[in-house]
Amino acid sequence: MTVTKLLRPALAATLLASITACGASSVPDVPAGTTTGSGSAETRRSANPEPVAATMPDVIGGNAGRAHEQMSSTIDMVFEDASGQGRPVDDPAAWKICNSQPGPNQQITDFPVVFGVVTVSESCEDTVPE
């Protein structure tokens, strides 16, 4: 398998993130001296990469287990008991999401993403304010 084939998914994800980011330009930021081709991705890497901006989906009221399955491969996330009881969230599928940081439809620029959750039998109305 060539380097080009290996880099295609990463480049596609980067392009998609830059297109959907608020106010992002469709023109990539590439230094004038950088050549294009299979080696160009290596030359653009930064020693301290910034988090990729993505939009937080609206998962409020949804199952934490499903959110974890859908987002875990791309986003570092934490589930916290929103009831104020400090219970560990060992099985996200048994919990529902009451709030998230960042909120729905906001840019994710910092990690981890934090979800405030309660067990599925509880109400989000009984949560402790953030």
Side-chain angles (χ1 to χ4, degrees):
M1 192 174 270
T2 66
V3 173
T4 304
K5 286 184 181 179
L6 291 172
L7 291 177
R8 281 184 188 160
L11 293 173
T14 302
L15 179 61
L16 180 60
S18 67
I19 291 171
T20 60
C22 182
S25 170
S26 61
V27 179
D29 292 330
V30 179
T34 303
T35 60
T36 59
S38 64
S40 65
E42 286 292 325
T43 59
R44 289 187 300 226
R45 280 194 190 155
S46 167
N48 297 317
E50 292 184 27
V52 174
T55 302
M56 178 65 151
D58 186 357
V59 293
I60 305 301
N63 184 275
R66 285 192 205 105
H68 185 260
E69 289 172 359
Q70 293 173 353
M71 299 171 61
S72 69
S73 65
T74 57
I75 297 177
D76 184 20
M77 65 185 81
V78 174
F79 296 95
E80 294 180 349
D81 182 3
S83 72
Q85 298 176 46
R87 300 171 291 187
V89 182
D90 296 325
D91 179 15
W95 298 75
K96 66 181 168 185
I97 300 171
C98 294
N99 58 59
S100 64
Q101 189 62 20
N105 304 313
Q106 293 181 353
Q107 293 294 310
I108 301 171
T109 57
D110 195 20
F111 297 100
V113 169
V114 179
F115 293 102
V117 296
V118 294
T119 62
V120 293
S121 62
E122 296 174 332
S123 171
C124 287
E125 294 174 8
D126 299 330
T127 62
V128 176
E130 292 180 34

